[in-house]
Amino acid sequence: MPITQQLEDFVQQVRRDIVRMVHAVNSGHPGGSLGCAEFFTALYQEIMDYSTDFSMDGKNEDLFFLSNGHISPVYYSVLARSGFFPVSELATFRHINSRLQGHPTTHEGLPGVRIASGSLGQGMSVAIGAAEAKKLNGDSKIVYSLHGDGELQEGQVWEAMMYAAGKKVDNLISTVDLNGQQIDGSTDDVLPMGSIKGKFEAFGWDVLEVKKGNDIESVIAGLKEAKSRTGKGKPVCILLHTDMGHGVDFMAGTHAWHGKAPNDEQLESALAQNPVTLGDY
């Protein structure tokens, strides 16, 4: 089977996991998770150099930090299906005492998760610290982070951006999920941010755009291009244009499914639209 088809099948399975996890507990965030299925698949199946023999220090391996932690369903699905923990554990999502809480946590020791996230705006600061630690340790690997576009309304992000450029943290690739939606509506309605590309560039970042953020080949190509730009004196930003709720027609393109679970009938419709299964948990 061609590698692209394998990855597209993987994406469909991830989407199945997302809607099943959220449906089972009638709680969670399917919209942004569905929109980022290609990104996580590309990152963990094609781009990053990592070990599933997990350690918190992450020496000599690429690191990833999820800042917009509410999209934990896609994160957990890809971690499990990449070998960090058993796929069967996805059935414990949001249960009491589960390692798979609604927002990622560290106190239960879930392999693959290095920071608690979900308090928006903090992930880039942590990623910068990890990137600087790698430089100090002579570690040539890359640090990746993911952020929501609505999250950019948090002031800490801009302080971190200014620091990263000023200190030439050029082993960092931060991706912004540009779906134009947040919990209360479109980002333009809640708080217009103007040209995000122009702002990142004005803050001293090297910026590239991936216009087809729900096309696996385009995402892989964008990540590879971003990696080729590291080590040149600037942090790198990918502006990833995605469709919130992508892959499920009644969830796509609207903030209404930011934090809403499908009912039984909607679940069956979502699964029917993503029929490829690599083995449901």
Side-chain angles (χ1 to χ4, degrees):
M1 182 184 296
I3 184 64
T4 301
Q5 186 60 55
Q6 290 180 3
L7 294 175
E8 289 176 349
D9 290 352
F10 190 97
V11 167
Q12 281 207 26
Q13 180 61 66
V14 169
R15 289 202 166 98
R16 292 178 66 85
D17 291 343
I18 291 166
V19 294
R20 293 179 76 242
M21 290 162 68
V22 174
H23 167 267
V25 290
N26 194 33
S27 180
H29 297 79
S33 294
L34 291 166
C36 285
E38 285 84 2
F39 171 79
F40 276 88
T41 297
L43 195 65
Y44 277 90
Q45 293 294 301
E46 276 292 300
I47 300 298
M48 284 209 309
D49 181 7
Y50 61 85
S51 171
T52 55
D53 184 14
F54 182 73
S55 66
M56 287 296 283
D57 59 37
K59 290 181 179 178
N60 299 312
E61 58 181 307
D62 293 336
L63 304 182
F64 171 72
F65 295 97
L66 175 64
S67 190
N68 49 331
H70 56 278
I71 65 168
S72 62
V74 64
Y75 192 23
Y76 295 151
S77 171
V78 172
L79 285 177
R81 294 190 180 276
S82 298
F84 282 90
F85 55 87
V87 171
S88 60
E89 193 168 349
L90 296 177
T92 71
F93 175 66
R94 281 185 174 249
H95 288 196
I96 293 175
N97 297 322
S98 169
R99 298 195 297 180
L100 278 61
Q101 290 299 302
H103 293 73
T105 63
T106 55
H107 66 279
E108 297 291 351
L110 185 67
V113 176
R114 290 188 168 85
I115 61 164
S117 59
S119 295
L120 295 175
Q122 299 178 2
M124 188 180 292
S125 298
V126 176
I128 290 168
E132 289 203 304
K134 284 193 174 294
K135 282 178 171 285
L136 289 170
N137 291 329
D139 184 338
S140 63
K141 298 300 183 181
I142 305 298
V143 176
Y144 297 84
S145 63
L146 178 65
H147 313 266
D149 48 2
E151 180 183 5
L152 299 185
Q153 295 160 357
E154 293 278 359
Q156 183 174 337
V157 179
W158 301 93
E159 295 178 54
M161 286 163 54
M162 180 169 56
Y163 180 93
K167 299 299 182 181
K168 296 181 171 54
V169 184
D170 58 1
N171 56 339
L172 171 68
I173 299 173
S174 292
T175 298
V176 179
D177 176 22
L178 281 178
N179 59 32
Q181 306 291 331
Q182 59 189 104
I183 189 169
D184 290 326
S186 74
T187 51
D188 282 345
D189 287 341
V190 175
L191 183 62
M193 289 179 281
S195 172
I196 293 175
K197 180 179 181 181
K199 286 180 168 63
F200 266 91
E201 289 177 338
F203 272 64
W205 285 58
D206 185 3
V207 184
L208 63 102
E209 292 194 73
V210 176
K211 295 290 190 179
K212 297 180 179 179
N214 293 118
D215 175 77
I216 191 70
E217 292 188 68
S218 295
V219 177
I220 291 170
L223 284 163
K224 287 182 176 179
E225 172 64 21
K227 190 171 182 178
S228 75
R229 298 188 187 188
T230 59
K232 297 180 180 179
K234 291 184 176 183
V236 180
C237 171
I238 300 174
L239 299 180
L240 185 73
H241 294 261
T242 70
D243 184 24
M244 178 175 269
H246 189 84
V248 178
D249 56 8
F250 60 87
M251 292 187 181
T254 171
H255 74 281
W257 291 91
H258 171 90
K260 177 183 175 182
N263 60 30
D264 293 350
E265 182 179 348
Q266 290 165 333
L267 172 66
E268 292 308 312
S269 175
L271 293 175
Q273 293 174 56
N274 294 274
V276 175
T277 174
L278 305 179
D280 288 334
Y281 56 87

